[in-house]
């Protein structure tokens, strides 16, 4: 007898259907084919023990299990459950009242028959709905995650016996229902920190506001204890809230990586990743023998914070150049090629020199001549060009530390950021993959960043004097466009509910004041920066 059950395999952040074919014939043997890795091939021992614990016996028959398509590598122990169901049905130890072909089944079996959690339940559920499956059976720990997919009955099970009773009609299972939009609305915007806790540092807060309004990368340069890490941790509190599609995409990535906690549903806050500077290139960009998303993909639609930026290895820093530009990364190895999204906002921080006190207002730098420039040179010019805002940060004065007056809250800053994003949503409404100013292509840049004669002269003089690159030119214009958006979106006559008002503000010109501020955010491009240390 031939029985088919259905599961899925994850490739990148998407899933493909896998048909588990089980054939029973005369003889006594067991074969598992279909490009299975070690964990899948070991399923025999787990399935035998689980069946025994549930009161069934391993059949004295010739059993052949084929995982189709045979040219796609199958990894992990999530095929245990569909294999066990297929073997029991093929050897007529169970008679199914529910049609097996109507359900996708995934789960790892323990030796006692319990069902253990798996990775990638969300993309599998999305694929099941696309292919028209009636329902999906997953471990109970993954049911909330998979149930965010609408128009699909998702059942959570804790043991093989539950699944067998369901298919034989001895008991029923209730599908888990998650109101995706209600869950998304209820949980979004909840943070455990706020910018009101940051004393002083108004220029840096302004730089963060500009960065979030346009999705720009930012580098903070300042001495120890000046508040770099503290402000970076609060950056997600002023970013625009995730859209529903962004939340689904972000949850898919974390599901594939196995980073969702048991019982997790939809991610409603933008991710914040902060890898240590000892991280390897593979851990940063993804891949490995069993490919998983790296830190730059886990930070997709959110923030990647890299503290002590020059301390990261040169190889780690250089592999970020292409993902920063293209917002995705293709990882090619001998056995696979996968594509991961990398639409993150880079926030980096560094000391200005090895001792940390170059340009400090009260402490003397003890570095030798040229040490500051040598320290800065650990970050290559091409990588530095890809960072839109380069900001110097100084220690907070004592009077600001003891100031009891309430500082501006994250909600206030976030409101201005959202207003600026409204203009960008209107501006790029016809562009499929462009959502903010930082993502503008060269074609869009020439359309939306026209300069008058004064601004052109200012930019020409600055670029000539500082010998800036063409990429730096593009970044300056993008930042200037964002500053202009913030200006027009926060004026009194601007109405965020009126389409005409949004359209007029979105097409407003870049003024010289906007360009001056954008140029001020290129601290490390100044020819004299870091060349006077040790004097």
């Amino acid at each position: 007898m031939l029985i088919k059950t259905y599961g899925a395999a994850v490739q990148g952040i998407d899933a493909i259907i896998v048909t588990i074919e089980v054939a029973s014939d005369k003889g006594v043997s067991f074969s598992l084919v279909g490009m299975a890795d070690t964990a899948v091939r070991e399923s025999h021992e787990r399935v035998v023990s689980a069946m025994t614990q549930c009161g069934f016996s391993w059949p004295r028959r010739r059993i052949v299990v084929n995982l189709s398509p045979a040219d796609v590598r199958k990894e992990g122990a999530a095929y245990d459950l569909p294999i066990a169901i297929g073997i029991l049905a093929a050897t007529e130890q169970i008679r199914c009242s529910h049609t097996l072909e109507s359900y996708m089944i995934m789960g790892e079996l323990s030796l006692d028959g319990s069902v253990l959690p798996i990775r990638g339940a969300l993309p599998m559920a999305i694929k099941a709905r696309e292919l028209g499956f009636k329902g999906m059976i997953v471990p109970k720990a993954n049911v909330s995650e998979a149930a965010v997919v609408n128009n699909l009955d998702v059942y959570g099970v804790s043991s093989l016996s539950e699944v067998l009773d369901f298919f034989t009609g001895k008991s029923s299972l209730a599908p888990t229902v998650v109101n995706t939009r209600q869950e998304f609305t209820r949980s979004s915007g909840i943070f455990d920190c706020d910018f009101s806790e940051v004393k002083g540092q108004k220029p840096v807060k302004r730089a963060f506001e500009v960065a979030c309004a346009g999705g720009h990368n930012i580098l903070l340069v300042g001495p120890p204890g000046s508040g770099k890490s503290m402000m970076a941790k609060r950056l997600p509190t002023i970013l625009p809230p995730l859209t529903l599609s962004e939340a689904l995409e972000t949850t898919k990535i974390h599901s594939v990586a196995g980073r969702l906690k048991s019982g997790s549903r939809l991610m409603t806050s933008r991710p914040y990743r902060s890898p240590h500077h000892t991280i390897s290139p593979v851990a940063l960009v993804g891949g490995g023998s069993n490919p998983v998303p790296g830190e730059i993909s886990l930070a997709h639609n959110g923030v990647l914070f890299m503290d002590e930026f020059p301390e990261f290895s040169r190889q780690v820093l250089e592999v970020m150049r292409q993902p920063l530009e293209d917002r995705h990364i293709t990882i090619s190895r001998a056995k696979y090629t996968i594509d991961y999204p990398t639409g993150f906002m880079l926030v980096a921080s560094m000391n200005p020199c090895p001792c940390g006190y170059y340009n400090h207002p009260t402490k003397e730098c003890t570095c030798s001549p040229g040490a500051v420039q040598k320290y800065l040179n650990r970050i290559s010019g091409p990588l530095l060009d890809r960072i839109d805002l380069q900001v110097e940060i100084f220690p907070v004065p004592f009077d600001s530390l003891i100031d009891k007056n309430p500082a501006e809250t994250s909600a206030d800053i976030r409101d201005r950021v959202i207003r600026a994003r409204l203009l960008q949503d209107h501006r790029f409404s016809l562009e499929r993959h462009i959502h903010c100013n930082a993502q503008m292509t060269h074609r869009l840049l020439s359309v939306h960043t026209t300069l008058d004669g004064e601004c052109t002269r200012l930019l020409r003089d600055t670029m000539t004097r500082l010998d800036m690159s063409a990429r730096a030119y593009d970044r300056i214009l993008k930042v200037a466009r964002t500053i202009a958006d913030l200006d027009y979106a926060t004026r009194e006559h601007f109405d965020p509910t009126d389409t005409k008002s949004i359209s007029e503000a979105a097409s407003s010109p870049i003024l010289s004041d906007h360009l001056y501020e954008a140029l001020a955010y290129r601290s490390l491009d100044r020819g004299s920066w870091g060349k006077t240390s040790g004097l």
Side-chain angles (χ1 to χ4, degrees):
M1 179 178 287
L2 176 65
I3 293 292
K4 294 182 180 181
T5 57
Y6 295 91
V10 175
Q11 286 191 325
I13 63 169
D14 297 311
I16 62 170
I17 188 70
V18 173
T19 304
I20 298 96
E21 301 173 323
V22 182
S24 172
D25 205 347
K26 294 179 180 179
V28 181
S29 65
F30 176 81
S31 300
L32 195 155
V33 297
M35 205 173 177
D37 73 350
T38 303
V40 181
R41 291 195 299 270
E42 290 174 345
S43 65
H44 173 264
E45 306 302 329
R46 294 189 295 270
V47 170
V48 170
S49 178
M51 288 170 56
T52 303
Q53 294 295 323
C54 294
F56 296 91
S57 59
W58 181 259
R60 299 186 61 82
R61 303 278 292 175
R62 180 175 180 266
I63 304 295
V64 179
V65 178
N66 177 43
L67 306 181
S68 175
D71 60 344
V72 175
R73 185 170 179 80
K74 321 303 185 305
E75 299 172 341
Y79 302 99
D80 292 357
L81 188 56
I83 290 174
I85 300 295
I87 290 174
L88 290 171
T91 57
E92 299 183 325
Q93 296 190 63
I94 61 170
R95 296 185 180 276
C96 298
S97 59
H98 294 281
T99 306
L100 290 173
E101 287 79 4
S102 299
Y103 294 87
M104 180 181 285
I105 309 169
M106 293 297 285
E108 177 184 345
L109 287 176
S110 179
L111 296 181
D112 63 357
S114 59
V115 181
L116 304 179
I118 61 174
R119 295 193 310 179
L122 178 56
M124 291 176 185
I126 293 172
K127 177 57 68 174
R129 182 183 63 181
E130 288 178 1
L131 297 177
F133 281 93
K134 179 182 178 180
M136 181 177 183
I137 294 177
V138 295
K140 188 161 287 186
N142 300 109
V143 67
S144 297
E145 170 191 342
V148 301
V149 179
N150 298 323
N151 304 319
L152 179 72
D153 292 336
V154 180
Y155 303 94
V157 296
S158 58
S159 68
L160 175 60
S161 298
E162 284 186 48
V163 185
L164 295 176
D165 290 345
F166 171 73
F167 279 114
T168 56
K170 294 181 179 179
S171 65
S172 61
L173 293 174
T176 300
V177 178
V178 175
N179 188 323
T180 307
R181 294 190 178 277
Q182 182 180 357
E183 178 73 16
F184 179 72
T185 304
R186 180 181 64 83
S187 303
S188 61
I190 300 175
F191 303 100
D192 56 2
C193 57
D194 196 276
F195 258 98
S196 61
E197 301 158 356
V198 179
K199 301 293 186 180
Q201 302 294 11
K202 288 186 178 180
V204 184
K205 289 181 182 178
R206 168 65 178 178
F208 272 128
E209 181 180 336
V210 172
C212 291
H216 302 289
N217 303 319
I218 182 171
L219 171 64
L220 300 178
V221 185
S226 53
K228 303 186 292 296
S229 300
M230 181 182 183
M231 283 188 281
K233 289 178 181 177
R234 284 153 178 76
L235 193 64
T237 67
I238 62 173
L239 281 168
L242 284 169
T243 63
L244 187 56
S245 61
E246 286 177 332
L248 282 169
E249 184 180 30
T250 304
T251 308
K252 277 175 61 177
I253 297 171
H254 286 251
S255 173
V256 170
R259 298 301 181 97
L260 291 180
K261 296 180 180 178
S262 177
S264 296
R265 297 184 180 181
L266 198 65
M267 292 184 64
T268 56
S269 298
R270 293 188 180 272
Y272 176 86
R273 306 295 300 180
S274 180
H276 192 261
H277 63 260
T278 56
I279 191 172
S280 68
V282 172
L284 186 72
V285 302
S289 56
N290 295 323
V292 292
E295 288 291 335
I296 60 176
S297 296
L298 293 172
H300 181 65
N301 291 324
V303 176
L304 178 70
F305 176 52
M306 302 184 75
D307 199 9
E308 303 296 341
F309 202 40
E311 302 301 329
F312 287 81
S313 73
R314 185 70 174 230
Q315 187 180 5
V316 166
L317 294 179
E318 294 308 303
V319 297
M320 290 179 54
R321 285 162 53 178
Q322 180 264 336
L324 278 171
E325 197 79 18
D326 298 339
R327 309 185 77 80
H328 71 90
I329 185 168
T330 301
I331 300 172
S332 298
R333 300 292 184 266
K335 296 181 179 180
Y336 62 83
T337 298
I338 53 177
D339 190 88
Y340 290 129
T342 60
F344 61 92
M345 179 178 164
L346 175 64
V347 180
S349 70
M350 59 177 286
N351 294 331
C353 65
C355 79
Y357 296 109
Y358 175 71
N359 268 0
H360 195 282
T362 59
K363 296 184 179 180
E364 184 179 355
C365 175
T366 60
C367 297
S368 60
V372 176
Q373 193 63 37
K374 184 178 179 180
Y375 190 70
L376 179 61
N377 287 343
R378 294 186 185 183
I379 307 169
S380 68
L383 180 58
L384 202 57
D385 270 351
R386 288 169 168 82
I387 300 177
D388 307 358
L389 290 84
Q390 304 156 9
V391 182
E392 284 189 81
I393 178 172
F394 298 98
V396 181
F398 180 77
D399 290 341
S400 297
L401 287 175
I402 62 173
D403 187 6
K404 299 299 182 181
N405 293 324
E408 193 173 35
T409 65
S410 293
D412 295 332
I413 303 173
R414 193 184 202 189
D415 180 65
R416 295 195 295 268
V417 168
I418 292 173
R419 283 171 167 248
R421 288 290 183 106
L422 283 175
L423 274 58
Q424 295 166 53
D425 289 340
H426 177 84
R427 182 179 299 132
F428 306 124
S429 58
L430 301 179
E431 305 295 331
R432 185 178 178 185
H433 298 296
I434 308 296
H435 306 289
C436 59
N437 290 333
Q439 300 172 359
M440 276 194 287
T441 62
H442 189 74
R443 174 183 62 84
L444 294 174
L445 200 64
S446 61
V447 173
H448 299 297
T449 59
T450 53
L451 304 177
D452 60 19
E454 181 184 356
C455 290
T456 302
R457 285 192 298 272
L458 171 62
L459 189 55
R460 179 189 295 114
D461 293 344
T462 305
M463 290 200 63
T464 302
R465 187 173 69 255
L466 301 182
D467 194 21
M468 294 180 176
S469 67
R471 183 178 284 111
Y473 167 81
D474 285 353
R475 302 283 171 164
I476 291 169
L477 289 181
K478 291 177 182 179
V479 174
R481 179 69 267 172
T482 299
I483 295 169
D485 290 345
L486 278 169
D487 181 14
Y488 295 120
T490 53
R491 292 184 178 181
E492 289 185 6
H493 63 272
F494 176 76
D495 184 359
T497 62
D498 180 32
T499 304
K500 182 180 179 181
S501 179
I502 294 173
S503 179
E504 290 176 352
S507 58
S508 299
I510 295 175
L511 305 178
S512 57
D513 288 345
H514 307 145
L515 190 58
Y516 270 118
E517 185 177 353
L519 289 169
Y521 292 133
R522 304 295 298 187
S523 297
L524 303 188
D525 286 330
R526 298 168 190 166
S528 60
W529 202 97
K531 294 185 178 179
T532 59
S533 63
L535 298 182

